[in-house]
Amino acid sequence: MFAYVPLDLILGGGQARFDRWQLPQELMNPYLQSSGWVSFLNSLSRYIIHELLVCVCREGHEALGVTWDGAFSLSDIWLCNGGVMINPKVPCRNYDEDGGRADYQSLHYIISTSFYDFYSKRYPLYLDSLLYELETCPAARRQQHSFVTFLVNHPSLISFTDRVGIYASTSTMIRQLPRYHRQILYTLLNIQEYDSWGLAVEFIPDLNSTYKFANVPRYGITLDSCLQFGRNYLSHFGTFTSLLFAGRCCL
């Protein structure tokens, strides 16, 4: 017999949802006012959100083609035997755009209200990006396998170790591409909306030591250069504290 535990019961009673770290001085931007504290979703929170997105977006929308019209609440989300399911009493029907939009709105509300860190007065790192995707996702993408895969593996839901593995595997895959395909990839990555990423790291001493050599930036302004910076930074930390934060503070 399976035991179903509603999510509101799990998150109630002071259940810890975040890990908090105080950034060392060398990882802080001296031109920005900050308390120095950064919060991250802890392993339980990452697991819950991941499984919730899998349940609604992967299994519901994509695989089964059903929608709940956004009618589920926190108490209707059940954890059972290592997974998440929606209360069977919540009616579902064949998927359409209106139902998908309503489900995304409910997901946005549940995640935004349940995982806001009142101590640091902000969302945990990258969670606002996930909420933005839920809020602005075009209707045509909600059943796309590639988008759902991105959503359920969003950067806010992966650990430092996962991030290092992603950088390593991405670097290996790019190096193994034939030159022509690699050039196509660089063309796709080198779009102007990412051309200001260097400003985010230039004033942070520990990141700047990798970003510049002899006070000259080593990297270009485009996204593939940003990815290269992330891989290089994770390969040789400037300080021990970087080990704790690099995977969370770099793209």
Side-chain angles (χ1 to χ4, degrees):
M1 183 175 181
F2 297 118
Y4 301 95
V5 184
L7 188 55
D8 59 342
L9 184 61
I10 293 175
L11 296 180
Q15 172 64 52
R17 308 177 195 185
F18 314 106
D19 292 325
R20 299 184 182 95
W21 300 86
Q22 187 166 24
L23 287 173
Q25 196 66 34
E26 59 269 22
L27 281 174
M28 295 180 62
N29 188 333
Y31 297 97
L32 296 178
Q33 290 187 349
S34 172
S35 65
W37 286 94
V38 180
S39 63
F40 310 92
L41 293 170
N42 64 17
S43 57
L44 175 62
S45 296
R46 294 197 305 269
Y47 169 78
I48 289 173
I49 297 175
H50 169 80
E51 290 296 326
L52 176 59
L53 294 174
V54 168
C55 175
V56 175
C57 304
R58 175 74 85 205
E59 297 174 353
H61 294 175
E62 183 185 350
L64 299 177
V66 299
T67 173
W68 292 267
D69 286 311
F72 51 86
S73 64
L74 203 62
S75 60
D76 295 313
I77 300 169
W78 294 356
L79 268 71
C80 170
N81 201 32
V84 166
M85 65 177 293
I86 302 297
N87 183 348
K89 293 184 178 180
V90 177
C92 63
R93 61 178 179 84
N94 290 336
Y95 180 90
D96 62 20
E97 290 186 3
D98 291 338
R101 183 184 307 109
D103 286 343
Y104 269 54
Q105 289 172 346
S106 289
L107 288 172
H108 183 281
Y109 176 79
I110 289 171
I111 295 172
S112 64
T113 56
S114 301
F115 297 97
Y116 180 82
D117 186 4
F118 287 95
Y119 181 84
S120 63
K121 298 181 180 179
R122 64 184 63 185
Y123 288 110
L125 193 65
Y126 299 140
L127 189 62
D128 54 349
S129 172
L130 173 61
L131 294 172
Y132 176 82
E133 296 293 343
L134 292 173
E135 186 176 27
T136 63
C137 175
R141 300 180 66 185
R142 295 192 185 108
Q143 286 185 296
Q144 287 182 358
H145 180 77
S146 57
F147 176 75
V148 175
T149 298
F150 163 72
L151 203 62
V152 302
N153 296 286
H154 190 271
S156 62
L157 306 179
I158 61 177
S159 67
F160 169 78
T161 304
D162 295 331
R163 197 179 306 281
V164 172
I166 290 173
Y167 280 130
S169 60
T170 301
S171 178
T172 300
M173 292 173 65
I174 291 176
R175 288 198 305 268
Q176 290 178 345
L177 286 173
R179 177 177 296 181
Y180 173 71
H181 292 159
R182 192 161 60 244
Q183 290 174 344
I184 294 176
L185 176 63
Y186 288 157
T187 300
L188 293 173
L189 291 177
N190 291 345
I191 53 181
Q192 291 303 309
E193 65 180 281
Y194 298 103
D195 62 3
S196 62
W197 70 269
L199 297 177
V201 302
E202 188 171 0
F203 296 112
I204 301 176
D206 196 55
L207 301 182
N208 192 43
S209 63
T210 300
Y211 180 64
K212 290 184 177 180
F213 178 74
N215 208 33
V216 177
R218 307 181 190 183
Y219 303 91
I221 62 175
T222 47
L223 184 57
D224 62 299
S225 295
C226 181
L227 294 173
Q228 183 185 16
F229 167 80
R231 293 194 298 271
N232 289 342
Y233 182 73
L234 292 176
S235 298
H236 46 80
F237 310 106
T239 64
F240 171 75
T241 51
S242 301
L243 180 62
L244 298 176
F245 301 107
R248 293 164 171 158
C249 297
C250 295
L251 175 65

